[in-house]
Amino acid sequence: MIEGIEKGEQLSRQLTSAQLAMMAIGGAIGTGLFLGSSLAVHTAGPGVIVTYLIGAGIALLLMGALAEMAVAHPTAGSFGVYAELYVSRWAGFTVRYTYWAAQCIATGGEAVAIAIYCQWWFPETPKWLWIVVFSAALLYVNGRTVGSFGSFEYWFAMIKVVGIVLFIVIGLALLMGLTPRPAIGLSNLTAHGGFLATGWRGVWMALVFVIFSYMGSEVVAVTAGEAKDPEIAVPRAMRSMIGRLILFYMGSIVVLICIVPWNQIQPGADVTASPFVKVFQLIGVPAAAHIVNFVVITAAASSMNCNLYLVTRMMFSLARGGYAPEFFGRVSARGIPIPALAVSAAGLAFAVVAALVYPDSAFVYLFGISLFGGLYAWLMIFVTHLYFRPTWDGAGGRRLPVRMIGYPYTSLAGAGAILAIMGTTWWVEGMRVTLIAGVPWLIAITAAWFLLQGRVQRRVQRKAGA
């Protein structure tokens, strides 16, 4: 019996495979692409296209490992529960709390991104005002039934998908001269220093920003606890989601780099607008720039909405596993863990403070802090899979509908890539905060585990005997 799944109040299984796939896209396509890509372009130049291909390869490896475990154990705790089952209780404890804290910060980062987008329209308004307004609205959405949440996120994600498709189509038309304007062509791919304007070093260092674009795709595994027919829905959702992500990312980045010289997209380290908005602004299409700004606002709101879902379910899982106060494991009459939602809104409050104290660099700081948690979660997914497969097969588990190709070498390659990206953050402009904040956090949460493990184990044993 999986720890943390007990008798009593349970989450409601209402999510379809279509909603799962859209929620994964909603979680992944957000500020990492629409805002963070400007930092990646600034670091790698046109070579950022190669960086996105490398990121796609790592994401494919992750989905292969995660799909196996999610089908075997469809639970809201997802990879946190898997780490506990197959690695150690310490691993399950640290990965869940680290992911929860990082995603709380990431949710705040999405709110700051929304404020940046809104200030493009209303430059005199304070960032904290937009953060408060959008936070209140999305907390309300997450407090309703999971079915209504799934429907809301489906259409929210649909807006960003349609927006990306239109951006690619319009961009291709501009490149090929299918508009009244002269054809732009592909000259910007090699102008201003060449395709590898910052060298292979820049291509690799940009991966620090690009990998963040793919983070959030793990939401499919977290939502497995509320999926109808998880053995069918989860693998199908993962396949469709990762394929769409690669298509959307590669298409939009290629168009972005080709339309405007890369050195005009993001001249400095401080982010003031989405590069997708800047493209139409720089080529003199103001109406399109305003439409794109609306799309990126909805994209950030969608990711913010999805992140709130993630952190709420992770805290719920911690409480059900005996690692957090039991109060956070309670659900409402509608099947929503309201107490877990309330405490998980801490990242939004943190974003308000960051916007007041660091108005110009709040997004970069929040980005860097949350990146550590995402990287640590991905690393533990690969490590857990290395333990999962031989244990599952050795115990005579049922034949899984999905199996990762190339095990164990693919899981080892994925883990190695994540460790290398973690180390690289130290040399990337503005990203030292990732290790400066992340390493002390991991030490502190490990110390907390050793201090509390006796109490936690007694509580788990008491629950098991109940």
Side-chain angles (χ1 to χ4, degrees):
M1 184 69 177
I2 301 170
E3 301 285 3
I5 304 178
E6 310 92 3
K7 297 177 181 179
E9 298 170 308
Q10 299 292 330
L11 298 174
S12 176
R13 291 186 180 271
Q14 299 179 25
L15 298 177
T16 66
S17 60
Q19 288 176 334
L20 288 177
M22 272 300 177
M23 285 175 65
I25 291 174
I29 301 179
T31 56
L33 174 66
F34 289 119
L35 204 59
S37 59
S38 61
L39 297 170
V41 171
H42 176 67
T43 304
V48 75
I49 294 170
V50 178
T51 309
Y52 270 91
L53 283 172
I54 296 171
I58 297 172
L60 282 170
L61 294 178
L62 184 92
M63 287 298 103
L66 195 53
E68 281 192 25
M69 297 185 290
V71 169
H73 305 294
T75 174
S78 184
F79 45 86
V81 172
Y82 313 154
E84 178 182 341
L85 284 172
Y86 295 99
V87 182
S88 68
R89 289 187 180 275
W90 168 85
F93 181 84
T94 58
V95 73
R96 278 186 274 192
Y97 263 112
T98 301
Y99 187 77
W100 174 81
Q103 287 299 103
C104 284
I105 298 297
T107 305
E110 299 284 354
V112 172
I114 291 174
I116 292 173
Y117 301 147
C118 290
Q119 281 186 327
W120 188 75
W121 278 331
F122 309 101
E124 301 303 319
T125 56
K127 284 188 175 70
W128 66 263
L129 176 63
W130 297 110
I131 295 171
V132 169
V133 169
F134 278 86
S135 297
L138 294 179
L139 282 170
Y140 172 76
V141 170
N142 273 263
R144 295 177 60 82
T145 64
V146 70
S148 63
F149 164 83
S151 298
F152 182 89
E153 184 58 32
Y154 181 91
W155 293 109
F156 239 28
M158 184 65 75
I159 291 174
K160 74 173 79 175
V161 168
V162 171
I164 289 176
V165 171
L166 289 176
F167 176 82
I168 294 172
V169 170
I170 294 171
L172 290 174
L174 289 168
L175 293 175
M176 294 185 292
L178 301 179
T179 69
R181 296 168 175 269
I184 297 174
L186 303 178
S187 61
N188 284 325
L189 282 175
T190 54
H192 309 285
F195 183 73
L196 297 176
T198 62
W200 286 107
R201 182 176 184 271
V203 168
W204 173 260
M205 292 178 73
L207 193 56
V208 168
F209 303 109
V210 169
I211 200 69
F212 191 83
S213 299
Y214 290 98
M215 287 179 178
S217 53
E218 66 279 352
V219 68
V220 175
V222 179
T223 56
E226 292 169 273
K228 297 177 181 177
D229 303 318
E231 288 195 9
I232 299 173
V234 173
R236 182 183 299 167
M238 285 187 172
R239 285 193 297 269
S240 62
M241 177 272 302
I242 200 66
R244 292 173 190 173
L245 276 187
I246 294 171
L247 177 64
F248 295 155
Y249 284 178
M250 296 309 304
S252 57
I253 289 299
V254 169
V255 168
L256 181 70
I257 294 294
C258 289
I259 292 179
V260 176
W262 71 272
N263 55 0
Q264 294 182 28
I265 293 174
Q266 177 63 33
D270 290 333
V271 183
T272 56
S274 169
F276 291 82
V277 175
K278 283 186 177 181
V279 163
F280 290 107
Q281 190 177 19
L282 289 170
I283 64 177
V285 189
H290 288 287
I291 294 172
V292 172
N293 199 53
F294 168 77
V295 171
V296 297
I297 287 173
T298 60
S302 171
S303 294
M304 185 178 164
N305 191 40
C306 210
N307 283 342
L308 276 173
Y309 176 95
L310 279 171
V311 293
T312 299
R313 270 57 187 179
M314 193 59 72
M315 179 52 68
F316 173 86
S317 170
L318 282 163
R320 287 300 181 94
Y323 299 124
E326 294 183 16
F327 176 69
F328 296 128
R330 296 178 182 175
V331 297
S332 67
R334 295 177 175 178
I336 303 297
I338 296 296
L341 173 62
V343 72
S344 298
L348 300 173
F350 189 82
V352 173
V353 175
L356 289 170
V357 178
Y358 305 105
D360 296 327
S361 52
F363 173 75
V364 175
Y365 286 151
L366 294 174
F367 182 104
I369 294 170
S370 61
L371 178 62
F372 179 85
L375 289 173
Y376 183 69
W378 279 33
L379 174 64
M380 290 306 301
I381 288 170
F382 285 120
V383 170
T384 303
H385 188 249
L386 289 168
Y387 284 88
F388 164 81
R389 175 72 77 80
T391 303
W392 181 265
D393 289 345
R398 68 184 185 280
R399 178 73 181 178
L400 298 172
V402 287
R403 287 177 72 84
M404 188 176 183
I405 298 172
Y407 173 87
Y409 305 108
T410 43
S411 292
L412 287 169
I418 297 301
L419 283 172
I421 294 170
M422 275 186 173
T424 302
T425 59
W426 190 255
W427 289 276
V428 178
E429 184 180 7
M431 287 294 105
R432 283 193 174 186
V433 68
T434 300
L435 294 178
I436 290 173
V439 173
W441 163 265
L442 194 56
I443 293 172
I445 202 68
T446 298
W449 162 250
F450 284 111
L451 289 172
L452 299 174
Q453 63 173 323
R455 184 186 306 174
V456 169
Q457 288 177 357
R458 286 193 296 273
R459 184 177 168 190
V460 170
Q461 290 170 358
R462 187 170 64 250
K463 280 176 170 287

